């Protein structure tokens, strides 16, 4: 597919991004699709991030430093949604500060997006990605395969586990508008997980089974790649997994509060069960998992989830 299919707003939130920022921005400048604008919001960096951003704004008039005169730390979730609320374009992509985009990233996402002919349907496109170390040596050719993530968008999976990586996401205007209109509650765990729920519950989610970027792993990552076994061996144990179940339930409750009028009866039932399952007796929990097809992807991950959910005392 060739031609111009609209302006793409690339949204980047930075925080002490000095080590890798230039490489990331240069990879955006090298995109085969050129009708994009890069909007960068700095979240209170103490290194030379601001100077690097200003340097690039002088080199290319498609790059904007949106809060140059009002730098304030609000956290990564709020920072991305502030960017989304203050920018208007045809499509929107989210960008981390420390990765490298492959040359066809924007084009591949846009081609997939344009296969959705109904522009009024909130639509999210996401892709696979290659996992690399801080020097860009490949660790794994497929993040989805490495993490045993579900390539299909299934609500029973998303209510308890995210399978959408934010730095691969593109959304359309219908998606952007409803997210901004509804607002962002404090219970949101991460912006990409929230958008994954929106895409599945009230819109459409499309997946491109091709890596479109190099997902850099280093000791400064806010969120990174790590298997269930590695987390457990590293001390990420029962308490942390139970806490993650509770946080997901709180996020599900917040989602119902905002979107219940937009949900089908079945989808409302599924999210409502996930939101309240920690309050149910053990047997009811396990029956509800099956009835609502709630699961975590990956055999070991799902097994640990079920065992810990069953062992969790009923929370009143």
């Amino acid at each position: 597919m060739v031609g111009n299919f609209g302006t793409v707003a690339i949204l980047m939130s930075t925080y002490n991004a000095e080590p890798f920022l230039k490489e990331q921005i240069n990879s955006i400048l090298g995109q085969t699709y050129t009708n994009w604008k890069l909007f960068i919001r700095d979240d209170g960096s103490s290194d030379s991030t601001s100077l690097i951003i200003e340097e690039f704004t002088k080199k290319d008039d498609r790059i904007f430093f949106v809060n140059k005169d009002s730098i304030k730390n609000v956290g990564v979730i709020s920072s991305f949604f502030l960017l989304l609320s203050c920018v208007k374009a045809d499509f929107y992509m989210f960008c981390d500060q420390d990765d490298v985009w492959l040359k066809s990233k924007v084009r591949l996402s846009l081609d997939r997006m344009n296969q959705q002919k109904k522009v009024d349907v909130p639509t999210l496109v996401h892709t696979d990605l290659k996992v690399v170390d801080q020097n860009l040596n490949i660790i794994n050719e497929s993040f989805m395969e490495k993490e045993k993530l579900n390539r299909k968008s299934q609500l029973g999976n998303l209510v308890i586990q995210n399978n959408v990586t934010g730095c691969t996401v593109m959304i359309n205007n219908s998606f952007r508008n409803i997210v901004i209109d509804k607002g962002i509650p404090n219970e949101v765990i991460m912006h990409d997980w929230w958008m994954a729920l929106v895409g599945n519950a009230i819109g459409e989610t499309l997946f491109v089974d091709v890596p479109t970027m190099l997902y850099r792993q280093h000791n400064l990552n806010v969120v990174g790649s790590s298997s269930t076994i590695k987390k457990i061996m590293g001390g990420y144990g029962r308490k942390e997994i139970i806490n993650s179940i509770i946080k997901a339930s709180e996020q599900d409750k917040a989602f119902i509060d905002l979107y219940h009028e937009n949900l089908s009866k079945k989808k409302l039932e599924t999210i409502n069960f996930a939101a309240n399952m920690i309050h149910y007796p053990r047997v009811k929990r396990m029956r509800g998992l099956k009835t609502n097809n709630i699961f975590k992807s990956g055999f070991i991950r799902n097994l640990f989830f079920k065992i810990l959910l069953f062992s969790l005392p009923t929370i009143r």
Side-chain angles (χ1 to χ4, degrees), residues 43-137:
D43 200 36
S45 297
S46 57
D47 61 5
S48 63
T49 296
S50 293
L51 295 177
I52 295 172
I53 298 170
E54 288 184 41
E55 176 187 333
F56 275 99
T57 62
K58 294 173 183 177
K59 291 180 178 179
D60 197 302
D61 60 8
R62 295 172 296 175
I63 302 175
F64 303 88
F65 192 172
V66 301
N67 68 327
K68 176 182 177 180
D69 300 319
S70 57
I71 295 177
K72 178 183 178 182
N73 180 268
V74 298
V76 63
I77 298 172
S78 295
S79 188
F80 271 119
F81 283 119
L82 280 171
L83 279 166
L84 190 61
S85 66
C86 74
V87 171
K88 286 292 291 182
D90 298 305
F91 306 98
Y92 309 83
M93 299 183 78
F94 297 85
C95 180
D96 288 350
Q97 65 189 24
D98 49 7
D99 301 318
V100 172
W101 285 18
L102 302 178
K103 290 181 179 295
S104 60
K105 183 180 193 301
V106 177
R107 165 61 65 190
L108 287 171
S109 297
L110 194 57
D111 284 350
R112 188 72 178 96
M113 176 68 75
N114 280 291
Q115 292 175 15
Q116 165 58 274
K117 302 301 183 182
K118 299 178 181 178
V119 296
D120 58 331
V121 175
T123 304
L124 179 151
V125 171
H126 68 116
T127 78
D128 201 353
L129 52 169
K130 295 185 180 184
V131 183
V132 299
D133 65 18
Q134 66 177 11
N135 298 315
L136 303 183
N137 298 306

Side-chain angles (χ1 to χ4, degrees), residues 44-45 95 107 144 160 176 226 228 240 245 247 262 270:
S45 297
C95 180
R107 165 61 65 190
M144 301 296 285
I160 196 64
R176 179 255 184 205
S226 180
T228 301
E240 288 78 13
I245 294 172
K247 285 184 175 295
N262 305 92
T270 297

Side-chain angles (χ1 to χ4, degrees), residues 137-163:
N137 298 306
I138 294 177
I139 298 172
N140 199 290
E141 292 284 349
S142 169
F143 176 76
M144 301 296 285
E145 181 62 31
K146 177 181 183 294
E147 296 295 315
K148 307 301 180 187
L149 293 177
N150 189 13
R151 285 170 163 80
K152 296 180 180 179
S153 179
Q154 294 176 268
L155 188 58
N157 182 208
L158 289 171
V159 292
I160 196 64
Q161 177 194 15
N162 183 28
N163 73 334

Side-chain angles (χ1 to χ4, degrees), residues 155-179:
L155 188 58
N157 182 208
L158 289 171
V159 292
I160 196 64
Q161 177 194 15
N162 183 28
N163 73 334
V164 171
T165 307
C167 51
T168 73
V169 165
M170 173 183 281
I171 60 174
N172 63 3
N173 252 320
S174 296
F175 197 109
R176 179 255 184 205
N177 292 341
I178 194 166
V179 168

Side-chain angles (χ1 to χ4, degrees), residues 1-59:
M1 189 175 288
V2 296
N4 190 320
F5 291 92
T7 301
V8 177
I10 302 170
L11 311 179
M12 179 191 291
S13 176
T14 59
Y15 181 75
N16 291 341
E18 180 182 340
F20 307 114
L21 183 57
K22 289 183 180 180
E23 198 167 17
Q24 171 66 293
I25 295 177
N26 280 325
S27 74
I28 295 171
L29 290 170
Q31 290 296 298
T32 58
Y33 188 83
T34 58
N35 189 12
W36 53 261
K37 294 181 180 180
L38 173 60
F39 298 90
I40 308 174
R41 182 191 179 279
D42 186 64
D43 200 36
S45 297
S46 57
D47 61 5
S48 63
T49 296
S50 293
L51 295 177
I52 295 172
I53 298 170
E54 288 184 41
E55 176 187 333
F56 275 99
T57 62
K58 294 173 183 177
K59 291 180 178 179

